[in-house]
Amino acid sequence: MSDASVVTTTVDSAGAAEALARGIVEARLGACVQIVPIRSVYRWDGEVRIDDEWQCVVKTSAIRVDELVAHIKANHNYEVPEVVVTPVVGGNDDYLTWVSEETS
């Protein structure tokens, strides 16, 4: 088992995704943030909505997860932002070492 985690969130624009990603990497809360355009279908305030969103997939160290979650919540414009943490159980050791070094 590695000490890496993947943290996922979504935002409502490419600009918001880039700003959030830049802040995360500059603060060393994530080694890398991938931004992926997606289309989300969900229920909010009693109605089903379909919206374009940008998914931010952050690779980080497990020890930085709490700070990263707090950063996302503080810098997000959604009332209830999606923040999902997934532990990394394995992968390319060289890459996982880089993630750890970049978030130290």
Side-chain angles (χ1 to χ4, degrees):
M1 181 107 158
S2 79
D3 79 332
S5 293
V6 174
V7 178
T8 306
T9 190
T10 55
V11 295
D12 61 359
S13 71
E18 291 172 5
L20 185 62
R22 178 175 290 281
I24 288 167
V25 173
E26 285 177 349
R28 293 193 171 271
L29 296 173
C32 173
V33 181
Q34 294 171 318
I35 299 170
V36 183
I38 61 171
R39 193 139 173 90
S40 295
V41 180
Y42 59 99
R43 183 180 310 274
W44 187 254
D45 288 337
E47 82 177 68
V48 175
R49 298 183 182 191
I50 301 173
D51 289 314
D52 292 330
E53 291 187 296
W54 284 257
Q55 184 178 61
C56 298
V57 181
V58 185
K59 274 67 79 185
T60 191
S61 296
I63 61 170
R64 300 306 302 265
V65 165
D66 290 341
E67 288 178 89
L68 175 57
V69 170
H71 179 89
I72 291 170
K73 290 172 70 175
N75 292 282
H76 209 290
N77 64 349
Y78 286 4
E79 184 180 338
V80 180
E82 169 192 2
V83 182
V84 177
V85 178
T86 307
V88 174
V89 297
N92 178 346
D93 288 337
D94 295 333
Y95 179 79
L96 297 174
T97 298
W98 174 78
V99 168
S100 180
E101 290 170 353
E102 289 300 311
T103 56
S104 297

